[in-house]
């Protein structure tokens, strides 16, 4: 899945295809900061992918609940009136997160 990094007044923001608003919001509230390396998230994903844990629910993230299973991730906005969420393959999620963090770091490094 492709994404764009958009400069919004000196802050990098991710832009994903339609239907991934929950993922955009999660990244924007949890992985946006200049000093956020996302190690905690990559480690959690890798623990599930390697079979170290069967599944994992990350409830300590800002405004979202992340449910990781062996094959999929579900990003839930529990504060949404419509129960907004998106679901995608876990390896795709990892790739997006990893590439976002790399692009974000590169963006800040250029500034």
């Amino acid at each position: 899945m492709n994404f764009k990094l958009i400069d919004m007044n000196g802050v990098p923001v991710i832009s994903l295809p339609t239907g991934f608003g929950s993922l955009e919001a999660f990244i924007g509230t949890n992985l946006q900061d200049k000093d956020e390396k996302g190690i905690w998230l990559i480690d959690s994903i890798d623990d599930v992918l390697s079979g170290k844990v069967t599944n994992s629910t990350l409830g300590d993230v800002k405004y979202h609940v992340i449910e990781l299973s062996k094959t999929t991730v579900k990003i839930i906005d529990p504060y949404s009136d419509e129960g907004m969420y998106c679901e995608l393959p876990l390896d795709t999620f990892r790739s997006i997160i990893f590439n976002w963090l790399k692009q974000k770091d590169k963006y800040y490094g250029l500034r």
Side-chain angles (χ1 to χ4, degrees):
M1 177 184 313
N2 293 327
F3 69 85
K4 294 180 190 173
L5 186 146
I6 301 169
D7 182 320
M8 294 197 100
N9 301 318
V11 176
V13 175
I14 193 168
S15 175
L16 291 164
T18 302
F20 293 93
S22 293
L23 178 54
E24 280 184 356
F26 166 72
I27 290 171
T29 56
N30 291 277
L31 302 173
Q32 194 85 27
D33 295 336
K34 181 177 183 176
D35 296 326
E36 174 58 65
K37 299 299 178 197
I39 304 292
W40 58 273
L41 182 56
I42 297 295
D43 285 349
S44 294
I45 295 167
D46 288 347
D47 285 349
V48 173
L49 287 172
S50 71
K52 187 175 180 180
V53 297
T54 306
N55 55 45
S56 181
T57 300
L58 308 176
D60 57 344
V61 295
K62 296 179 198 167
Y63 313 115
H64 296 88
V65 175
I66 308 298
E67 295 178 352
L68 305 170
S69 75
K70 187 71 174 170
T71 58
T72 61
V73 61
K74 191 171 187 179
I75 302 149
I76 304 163
D77 178 354
Y79 303 104
S80 168
D81 291 338
E82 301 87 34
M84 192 167 124
Y85 74 93
C86 71
E87 192 169 346
L88 63 154
L90 187 57
D91 57 344
T92 300
F93 178 65
R94 187 190 189 287
S95 177
I96 291 168
I97 297 302
F98 182 80
N99 287 312
W100 162 254
L101 293 167
K102 193 164 68 172
Q103 289 297 319
K104 176 189 65 83
D105 288 348
K106 182 177 172 183
Y107 171 88
Y108 280 122
L110 297 173
R111 300 189 76 65

